[in-house]
Amino acid sequence: MDLSANSLILHSLLWLILVINFVLILPAAANTISADHDNLVYKQCSNQTSTNINLSHSSELSSLFEEFLIQSSHSKFYETSISNDHVGPVLGRFQCRNDLTQSECRNCMKNFPELSKHLCGYNIPVRIQLSGCYVHYQPDGIETSRVQLLHKTCSKYKVKKSRFEEVKDKAFAAVESGILSGNGFYETTYELIHVMAQCEESLGACDCGVCVSSAVQIAEEECKYSISGEAYLDSCFISYSYHGDEFGGYSFKDDKGIKGISSKSIAIILGGIAALLLGIAFCYFLRSCGKKKDDW
């Protein structure tokens, strides 16, 4: 085998090792809380297509977003009403997650003027939820249920162990209790399960408790065994995520591939393969060097 063939094999093995190392970090990456507050969670846009109404709303929305940005410098919740001579009043509000700093809140709110135009144009009503904040604006007079489900997601990774569900239920119970005395926001970690809930600031303690309990019920029913999930209602949200390997790893929803194998075992197996390939690559390198020396 000539030197060029050895070089090709060496490069191929190194690329394979890089791919395996990338695969090793995927389970951890799938289970990490993102620090990015600008991720789009969901959007709800009106299908209103009247050009005249849209042009009238454009000036209103520009004023609304300017006011939102000013208020976000010192407040994490704000609601107001604006109007002009062409259309009726438009009610608008924003809210940032309570664990964000005021600077992070303002930076989150800076996304909405361009984002709303890109996603929804000048139509109303509109609700856009980012991971760290949301805006909602609509014509005056529209009534909605405070516990109406707007969006939910459940991880495709699951821990099919009754013990996991028991711990998750206790984490949910903790957040249901804590939200009543947490000024509309509560965050905790219970045995490696991180859970967070927040209500619209204008909600009273009792209504907030009812809303969060409804969100918890949805998460319990819809996200059974999932290692993470979230449920956004009209006036509150709840999210949870599991971090660790206490319950023996997790499997894909389709019950194929890594079902029944812990994430720790997968890491050991793939790490062993990577070490073996690295050893083979090193042997080829030494062999190539020896051949080159003999040629001299």
Side-chain angles (χ1 to χ4, degrees):
M1 186 179 292
D2 59 22
L3 187 59
S4 61
N6 283 335
S7 178
L8 179 61
I9 293 173
L10 178 61
H11 281 88
S12 299
L13 287 172
L14 289 175
W15 272 110
L16 184 57
I17 291 169
L18 288 174
V19 170
I20 290 176
N21 286 331
F22 176 74
V23 171
L24 281 171
I25 66 171
L26 281 180
N31 204 16
T32 301
I33 298 176
S34 173
D36 189 354
H37 310 306
D38 302 336
N39 293 330
L40 178 65
V41 178
Y42 71 89
K43 65 178 179 67
Q44 290 186 334
C45 306
S46 168
N47 57 5
Q48 173 64 257
T49 58
S50 171
T51 303
N52 291 333
I53 292 180
N54 288 348
L55 291 175
S56 298
H57 284 161
S58 67
S59 60
E60 285 186 306
L61 295 180
S62 178
S63 299
L64 182 66
F65 288 129
E66 287 179 10
E67 190 169 354
F68 280 171
L69 194 56
I70 293 172
Q71 295 296 327
S72 66
S73 297
H74 52 81
S75 178
K76 295 179 183 177
F77 175 80
Y78 180 73
E79 54 186 348
T80 186
S81 174
I82 59 174
S83 62
N84 61 34
D85 296 333
H86 303 287
V87 295
V90 172
L91 303 179
R93 70 173 180 266
F94 79 82
Q95 185 165 14
C96 294
R97 261 191 9 227
N98 202 54
D99 60 325
L100 269 60
T101 65
Q102 205 62 59
S103 175
E104 289 171 335
C105 177
R106 178 178 170 81
N107 288 336
C108 190
M109 292 301 299
K110 286 180 180 179
N111 294 285
F112 287 114
E114 287 301 319
L115 189 60
S116 65
K117 181 179 178 181
H118 173 70
L119 295 176
C120 303
Y122 297 116
N123 299 325
I124 62 171
V126 164
R127 181 164 183 148
I128 302 174
Q129 175 78 55
L130 303 183
S131 52
C133 59
Y134 79 87
V135 295
H136 183 205
Y137 46 91
Q138 63 183 28
D140 190 11
I142 296 180
E143 296 292 334
T144 57
S145 169
R146 291 190 177 275
V147 294
Q148 177 185 352
L149 177 63
L150 303 178
H151 174 80
K152 70 169 178 64
T153 56
C154 305
S155 172
K156 66 179 180 179
Y157 296 98
K158 297 177 180 289
V159 177
K160 294 192 173 180
K161 303 288 180 66
S162 59
R163 168 67 176 155
F164 173 73
E165 283 299 295
E166 290 173 4
V167 172
K168 192 168 74 173
D169 289 343
K170 290 179 180 179
F172 285 157
V175 81
E176 286 184 277
S177 174
I179 197 71
L180 296 174
S181 56
N183 297 319
F185 177 84
Y186 189 76
E187 181 180 19
T188 189
T189 298
Y190 186 90
E191 293 190 30
L192 301 180
I193 295 182
H194 178 266
V195 62
M196 177 191 301
Q198 183 167 348
C199 292
E200 180 184 307
E201 191 172 302
S202 61
L203 229 58
C206 291
D207 289 336
C208 177
V210 170
C211 189
V212 169
S213 292
S214 298
V216 165
Q217 184 177 356
I218 292 170
E220 287 176 334
E221 294 175 355
E222 302 291 336
C223 299
K224 193 173 183 65
Y225 298 118
S226 291
I227 65 170
S228 65
E230 55 190 13
Y232 287 84
L233 277 58
D234 182 75
S235 296
C236 68
F237 81 88
I238 183 173
S239 66
Y240 76 92
S241 55
Y242 163 60
H243 302 270
D245 200 24
E246 181 178 336
F247 302 101
Y250 45 80
S251 65
F252 288 108
K253 181 173 64 175
D254 58 8
D255 294 334
K256 295 179 181 178
I258 61 172
K259 180 182 178 183
I261 303 177
S262 72
S263 55
K264 184 182 296 182
S265 300
I266 295 170
I268 292 172
I269 293 170
L270 293 179
I273 295 173
L276 177 62
L277 291 175
L278 185 60
I280 294 173
F282 184 66
C283 289
Y284 272 112
F285 176 73
L286 291 178
R287 183 177 177 181
S288 298
C289 291
K291 182 175 178 59
K292 185 175 182 181
K293 185 176 180 180
D294 291 340
D295 290 341
W296 282 96

